[in-house]
Amino acid sequence: MKLLPDKTVERLSQYRRAMLKTLASGKHHIYSHEIANILHITPVQVRRDIMLIGYTGTLRHGYDVSELIEIIGTIIDSEEGTRVAVVGAGSLGSAIIRYFNGKRTKLSIVAAFDVNPDKLNKLYAGVPCYPFEKIQEIVKQENIQLAVIATPASETAKVAEALVNAGIKGILNYTPSPINVSSQVYLEEYDMVTSLEKVAYFAKHGK
Amino acid sequence: MKLLPDKTVERLSQYRRAMLKTLASGKHHIYSHEIANILHITPVQVRRDIMLIGYTGTLRHGYDVSELIEIIGTIIDSEEGTRVAVVGAGSLGSAIIRYFNGKRTKLSIVAAFDVNPDKLNKLYAGVPCYPFEKIQEIVKQENIQLAVIATPASETAKVAEALVNAGIKGILNYTPSPINVSSQVYLEEYDMVTSLEKVAYFAKHGK
DNA sequence: TAGATTGTTAATCGATTAACAATC
DNA sequence: TAGATTGTTAATCGATTAACAATC
């Protein structure tokens, strides 16, 4: 399938989550405008996204909730699952591990890394913590494809370099230090301060 | 000043952070292409954003780092500072509090809320934790304008309603449950699972 | 049928980038 | 000066939305 637009991929993830909730409530069919209401978007947006993944609903009942969940899975999940590491087992890192734990998803956090010896060999919500120096070895051994960076900002560059060398395919950087990676590696950066500053701006100036 | 574009506001926050770092390294002037390199964007983008806030550099030295920091502050900060509450003092909530603590910003987290009696009356990185039922009272008393939701997903709707009733102006929702709020309230939603699923998709399919 | 819905194209909107004049 | 840079308009790109035919 052709590469999907950035925003469509994000929304597919959200549709799936909303559909899982819908299914859990015992509802088996759903209209585009119902999905749209849940996510504060327009029904056309929903229909267009679903068109892009080649699924079709029916005029009478809209979309079949289970089928839609299934199809979205074939698009955005990797069949064999995706193994993820969290670098930095501080409060943010362990919050991320706990956050993912128990979520129904093909993404599994299988390793944490830290430099602090106190944190090593402990389990964070069932995930073992390894010394940062072993990153190359463990990434290979555990077949880890993605990494989340949750270290102090001062360590970001070093961590990113080690991850790229270890052959990681994608990085989600939660530190406020932007990093440079080879264009082979997909990089997403998110900073909570920027996000909250944006909320402050638009809450104040109206939007 | 006219309302700035969404993306420009985000980048201004990032420019400021990069400029603070630049200044700390003893550099007092910077060219648009240097800023662009730090943030992996184009120099034109940088110049256009800076044009939009009405600041101008010089042909010889580019932008004055201190002045740029100053100007960005007048645009995106509130002069008197902005007071923020975190709802949910679990691992994510306390990570957020610690994350903001010590950052140089006009945003200050001044209160946490939780329903768990064990967490009450404790300090999280210097921030007091109040019982959730007192939210209305404390928001008024402490003059809190923004809130970050970091509760379990099951509580999101209830929390959002209480926040809107308490007169909050902006909400940053870190739970995976989308919420509906009055259009008076600016809402930003961010979900780590969606973000990581997006990384997984583009790391796999190339982009 | 009438009303509601989907799927899809075309139009619009918003954001980025190319082009370039001005100038140090 | 020649080369490098800024500021800004116009063109392009990508994403959203309006419009509407098809149909249950």
Side-chain angles (χ1 to χ4, degrees):
Chain A
M1 168 171 297
K2 212 174 152 308
L3 199 69
L4 294 167
D6 206 274
K7 295 295 170 61
T8 295
V9 173
E10 285 179 23
R11 283 190 299 261
L12 288 173
S13 166
Q14 290 161 4
Y15 297 161
R16 173 163 67 177
R17 186 195 300 282
M19 292 308 93
L20 287 165
K21 210 167 168 181
T22 302
L23 196 62
S25 80
K27 199 165 146 63
H28 292 272
H29 293 87
I30 195 165
Y31 295 117
S32 61
H33 66 259
E34 295 177 292
I35 301 179
N37 282 342
I38 299 171
L39 301 173
H40 338 305
I41 57 178
T42 66
V44 195
Q45 180 95 247
V46 174
R47 294 203 297 276
R48 196 174 210 292
D49 286 334
I50 291 176
M51 181 196 86
L52 289 174
I53 61 173
Y55 181 62
T56 56
T58 63
L59 288 178
R60 204 178 284 286
H61 303 109
Y63 304 99
D64 182 293
V65 176
S66 310
E67 280 179 17
L68 189 49
I69 292 169
E70 178 66 21
I71 297 277
I72 293 176
T74 66
I75 305 284
I76 67 175
D77 288 336
S78 174
E79 208 174 327
E80 64 282 10
T82 302
R83 297 166 70 79
V84 183
V86 171
V87 186
S91 62
L92 183 58
S94 45
I96 291 167
I97 294 170
R98 286 198 191 84
Y99 188 83
F100 272 85
N101 229 311
K103 295 262 186 313
R104 184 229 72 90
T105 163
K106 287 272 185 175
L107 299 170
S108 32
I109 297 181
V110 297
F113 293 95
D114 208 291
V115 288
N116 184 339
D118 293 349
K119 296 188 174 158
L120 304 181
N121 306 314
K122 285 189 185 157
L123 289 178
Y124 288 83
V127 174
C129 184
Y130 302 100
F132 178 68
E133 310 82 62
K134 292 211 175 164
I135 200 161
Q136 189 115 0
E137 179 186 337
I138 306 283
V139 163
K140 264 147 198 151
Q141 179 185 307
E142 293 285 332
N143 189 27
I144 293 169
Q145 289 130 64
L146 307 180
V148 179
I149 307 181
T151 60
S154 53
E155 309 305 315
T156 315
K158 197 176 65 184
V159 169
E161 199 195 335
L163 288 169
V164 172
N165 288 339
I168 280 286
K169 293 284 181 291
I171 295 176
L172 177 52
N173 177 19
Y174 280 122
T175 77
S177 293
I179 53 181
N180 284 298
V181 295
S182 137
S183 64
Q184 296 296 101
V185 177
Y186 181 81
L187 172 67
E188 174 97 0
E189 311 204 292
Y190 178 82
D191 175 26
M192 296 192 289
V193 174
T194 288
S195 224
L196 195 53
E197 284 181 344
K198 182 180 163 191
V199 171
Y201 178 84
F202 286 112
K204 185 174 181 194
H205 297 86
K207 183 189 170 176
Chain B
M1 166 172 301
K2 211 175 152 304
L3 199 67
L4 294 167
D6 205 274
K7 293 297 170 59
T8 296
V9 173
E10 285 180 22
R11 283 190 300 262
L12 288 173
S13 166
Q14 290 161 4
Y15 296 160
R16 172 164 66 179
R17 186 195 300 282
M19 292 308 93
L20 287 164
K21 211 168 167 180
T22 301
L23 197 61
S25 79
K27 199 164 146 62
H28 292 271
H29 292 87
I30 195 165
Y31 296 117
S32 61
H33 63 88
E34 296 177 291
I35 301 179
N37 283 340
I38 299 173
L39 301 173
H40 337 304
I41 56 176
T42 65
V44 195
Q45 179 94 258
V46 173
R47 294 203 297 276
R48 197 176 209 293
D49 286 334
I50 291 176
M51 180 195 85
L52 289 174
I53 60 173
Y55 181 61
T56 57
T58 64
L59 288 179
R60 204 179 284 286
H61 302 110
Y63 304 99
D64 182 294
V65 176
S66 311
E67 279 179 18
L68 189 49
I69 292 169
E70 179 65 21
I71 298 276
I72 292 176
T74 65
I75 305 285
I76 67 175
D77 289 335
S78 174
E79 207 172 330
E80 63 283 10
T82 302
R83 297 166 71 79
V84 182
V86 171
V87 186
S91 61
L92 183 58
S94 45
I96 292 167
I97 294 170
R98 285 198 192 86
Y99 188 82
F100 272 85
N101 229 310
K103 295 263 184 312
R104 184 228 72 88
T105 162
K106 287 273 186 176
L107 300 169
S108 32
I109 297 181
V110 297
F113 293 95
D114 207 293
V115 288
N116 183 340
D118 293 349
K119 297 188 174 158
L120 303 181
N121 305 315
K122 287 190 183 155
L123 290 178
Y124 289 83
V127 174
C129 185
Y130 303 100
F132 178 69
E133 310 83 63
K134 291 211 176 161
I135 200 161
Q136 189 116 1
E137 179 187 337
I138 306 283
V139 162
K140 262 146 199 152
Q141 177 185 309
E142 293 286 331
N143 189 27
I144 293 169
Q145 289 129 64
L146 307 181
V148 178
I149 307 182
T151 60
S154 53
E155 310 306 313
T156 315
K158 197 177 66 184
V159 169
E161 199 195 334
L163 288 169
V164 173
N165 288 340
I168 280 286
K169 293 285 182 291
I171 294 177
L172 177 51
N173 177 19
Y174 280 123
T175 77
S177 293
I179 52 182
N180 284 300
V181 295
S182 137
S183 63
Q184 296 296 101
V185 176
Y186 181 81
L187 171 66
E188 174 96 0
E189 309 203 295
Y190 179 81
D191 174 26
M192 297 193 286
V193 174
T194 287
S195 224
L196 195 53
E197 284 181 344
K198 182 181 165 192
V199 172
Y201 178 84
F202 287 112
K204 185 175 181 194
H205 297 86
K207 186 192 171 176

